[in-house]
Structure formats: structure tokens, C-alpha cells
């Protein structure tokens, strides 16, 4: 039996005019590392669930993508993160929304699935659950990049209108 | 937003999605990524789906579950289901991308934007990493 792994790092107004060579190459390299992380699980006959978590963790840690470190910021300048994971074997699922202090939200979502009777936890409660579960913490200093702060400032200077297509990366 | 879908050697599928949302979001706005059935879904009877794009439209179209339901109930191929549901999102006014892994080894992506960060790898050695729409 074979295995397959597919990743995305976000879709949007990405053309050779809007994405710098450095950004594109950095993102390609990170996607390659994420493929390798997931493939290491699958090639060892591991579970798809472990593979997708391993791959997403790499992308959350990489600053080129809107997740984890390098996430887009709220109007108030906070990195508020969302994540979900789901197992096709039994349709078990875990998700978190609006978490602010966990390095890898996808692993927190998995902890919700594995160690709670719930599917979705949000906000301060989800942050507290993360501490109880011993998920690796992250400060806003770790999560927030200067480029993201600049993008937010640019938006706020322009009136800060919420534009569903205003998506950076 | 980032995401991964996989099918393992046992024929089981899984999906994961993670995001910071949109720049400047207010009032506790949550998009499709953490909503099971909207931005993330996995069912061995159909496939695993992870989405990225204008989350409000992916929520309203319930994209990830809708794709799996079309396969499971209407017998559509994953490819046909993805294309139909992405067209529905477009008709509602949304844009974005979808990645899918099927229990029979299907592996595909579709997107309605100029580009999407995307990559795929399989046990046969097929490896692809791309950014722009024309790659």
C-alpha cells in the first residue's frame, strides 16, 4: 500500500509581482521541510494523523506563513491562533480558536481531541487547557514578527476597514 | 493559513489546518480553519480536506464536509466534488484553495486565487513544491 501527503501554506493574491524571490524561496524550503517531516512518519508505516501534525508543526514554526510564528495580527496587534485536526478512521476531531500562548496550535488541537471530551475549545479556556496539557508555550514576542506588525500598521493607517480579501500570506 | 492532508499505508486519512486568521480581525472573528466541516474534515469513507481562503465563504458553503458528503452520498470522484464545491464558494463571492487526500491514494489541490503555497509527496517518489498559479 502506498501513502500520500499534501500541504498548503495559504492561497491568495500571490504573483511574481507581489511575492519577493526571497519570500518564495523561503516558503518553498519550508514546504520541503514539512514534506520531509510528514514523510518520515508515513514511510515508517505511521499514521496519517501523526504525519499531518508533524508537517503542520513545521509550517507553524516557519515565519513565512500565516500561522504560529508569523501569524497575521488582530486589530489589537495580538497573534490569536486557530487550528484543527481530524482522524478519518473514527472522525475524532480536535480544534482550538483564539489561542495566544501556545507554540504549536495544531498539537493543542490534538490534545483537545485526545484528552478532553470536547471538539472545540476557545480563548482563555483553551490557553488554560494548553498549560494543563503541558503544550509548549510561546510568548507573543515569539509569535509576532515585525513584518506582521508593519502590515497591521499599514492597514490601520488606511482606515483599518475589515476586508475579507485583505490577506497577507 | 497552513494545512496538511495525508493517506497512510493502511488507507486511513487525516487532515490538519492552522492559521492566524486575517490581518486586523476584530470582535473575536473566527474563520473556517478550526471549524470541523468547514476548513478541516477527514473521513476514511471519502477523504481528508484542508482549506485556505476567505473563511466566511468556506464556512457558509461548509466546504470540507460538503466535499466528503458528495463523494460518500452521490458517488462523485474527489476531483469532481472539489471542483463543484470550490465553484460554489466562487459563486458566493469567496476565493481560496483546497487540498485533498483520498483513501485510494488520490491527491489533489485546486485554488481560485492567483497562487497558493502547495506541496505534495508520495511513496512512489513524486515530489512537487509550488507557489504561483502557472507552476
Amino acid at each position: 500500500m502506498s501513502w500520500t501527503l499534501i500541504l498548503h501554506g495559504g492561497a491568495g493574491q500571490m504573483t511574481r509581482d507581489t511575492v519577493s524571490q526571497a519570500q518564495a524561496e523561503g516558503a518553498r524550503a519550508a514546504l520541503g521541510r514539512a514534506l520531509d517531516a510528514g514523510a518520515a512518519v508515513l514511510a515508517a508505516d505511521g499514521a496519517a494523523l501523526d504525519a499531518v501534525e508533524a508537517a503542520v508543526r513545521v509550517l507553524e514554526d516557519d515565519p513565512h506563513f500565516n500561522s504560529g510564528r508569523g501569524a497575521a495580527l488582530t486589530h489589537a496587534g495580538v497573534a490569536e491562533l486557530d487550528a484543527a485536526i481530524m482522524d478519518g478512521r473514527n472522525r475524532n476531531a480536535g480544534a482550538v480558536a483564539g489561542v495566544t500562548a501556545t507554540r504549536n496550535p495544531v498539537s493543542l488541537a490534538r490534545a483537545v481531541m485526545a484528552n478532553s471530551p470536547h471538539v472545540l475549545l476557545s480563548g482563555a479556556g483553551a490557553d488554560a487547557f494548553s498549560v494543563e496539557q503541558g503544550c509548549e508555550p510561546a510568548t507573543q514576542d515569539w509569535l509576532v514578527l515585525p513584518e506582521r506588525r508593519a502590515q497591521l500598521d499599514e492597514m490601520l493607517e488606511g482606515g483599518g476597514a475589515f476586508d475579507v480579501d485583505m490577506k497577507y500570506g | 493559513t497552513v494545512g496538511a492532508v495525508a493517506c497512510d499505508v493502511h488507507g486511513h486519512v487525516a487532515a490538519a489546518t492552522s492559521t492566524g486568521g486575517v490581518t486586523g480581525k476584530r470582535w473575536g472573528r473566527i474563520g473556517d480553519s478550526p471549524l470541523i466541516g468547514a476548513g478541516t474534515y477527514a473521513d476514511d469513507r471519502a477523504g481528508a480536506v484542508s482549506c485556505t481562503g476567505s473563511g466566511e465563504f468556506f464556512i457558509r458553503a461548509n466546504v470540507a464536509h460538503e466535499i466528503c458528503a458528495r463523494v460518500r452520498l452521490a458517488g462523485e470522484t474527489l476531483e469532481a466534488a472539489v471542483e463543484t464545491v470550490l465553484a460554489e464558494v466562487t459563486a458566493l463571492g469567496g476565493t481560496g484553495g483546497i487540498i485533498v487526500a483520498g483513501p485510494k491514494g488520490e491527491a489533489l489541490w485546486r485554488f481560485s486565487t492567483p497562487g497558493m503555497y502547495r506541496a505534495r509527496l508520495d511513496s512512489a517518489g513524486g515530489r512537487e513544491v509550488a507557489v504561483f498559479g502557472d507552476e
Side-chain angles (χ1 to χ4, degrees), chain B residues 49-91:
Chain B
V49 184
S50 176
C51 304
T52 175
S54 36
E56 280 70 12
F57 299 95
F58 280 72
I59 292 171
R60 289 166 57 199
N62 211 25
V63 168
H65 182 270
E66 184 75 359
I67 289 168
C68 289
R70 296 181 76 97
V71 170
R72 184 163 52 84
L73 300 174
E76 285 188 358
T77 63
L78 271 171
E79 185 172 11
V82 167
E83 290 176 352
T84 302
V85 177
L86 187 55
E88 285 182 16
V89 170
T90 303

Side-chain angles (χ1 to χ4, degrees), chain A residues 47-145:
Chain A
L49 188 70
D50 296 327
V52 296
E53 181 186 5
V56 167
R57 284 170 62 94
V58 171
L59 299 176
E60 285 176 334
D61 282 347
D62 188 274
H64 292 92
F65 304 102
N66 174 16
S67 71
R69 177 169 169 74
L73 303 182
T74 67
H75 194 270
V78 178
E80 278 185 8
L81 309 176
D82 309 329
I85 191 166
M86 188 164 186
D87 187 344
R89 290 172 293 192
N90 45 30
R91 283 174 283 163
N92 274 349
V96 289
V99 296
T100 61
T102 300
R103 175 169 178 161
N104 295 109
V106 71
S107 294
L108 177 52
R110 180 145 186 197
V112 173
M113 178 176 81
N115 304 325
S116 91
H118 308 302
V119 172
L120 173 58
L121 299 182
S122 68
D127 282 339
F129 183 75
S130 180
V131 172
E132 285 175 26
Q133 291 295 308
C135 291
E136 185 173 355
T139 62
Q140 286 286 312
D141 287 344
W142 162 263
L143 296 169
V144 175
L145 297 184

Side-chain angles (χ1 to χ4, degrees), chain B residues 32-55:
Chain B
D32 62 311
S33 299
L35 302 185
I36 298 301
T40 308
Y41 200 75
D43 181 345
D44 279 3
R45 299 171 296 179
V49 184
S50 176
C51 304
T52 175
S54 36

Side-chain angles (χ1 to χ4, degrees), chain A residues 1-10 12 16 23 28 32 36 45 48 60 66 73 75 80 82-84 86 88 91, chain B residues 1 3 5 7-10 13 15 17-21 24-26 44-45 50 100 115 117 119 121 123 127 134-135:
Chain A
M1 181 70 186
S2 59
W3 52 263
T4 56
L5 174 65
I6 309 157
L7 311 176
H8 71 76
R16 290 180 175 80
Q23 164 70 18
R28 291 177 198 274
D36 295 341
D45 292 357
E60 285 176 334
N66 174 16
L73 303 182
H75 194 270
E80 278 185 8
D82 309 329
M86 188 164 186
R91 283 174 283 163
Chain B
T1 305
V5 292
C7 178
D8 59 35
V9 295
H10 314 289
V13 299
T17 312
S18 182
T19 188
K25 66 184 180 185
R26 303 177 77 176
D44 279 3
R45 299 171 296 179
S50 176
V100 175
Y117 292 117
L121 183 59
S123 47
R127 185 182 181 105
D134 58 3
E135 292 183 69

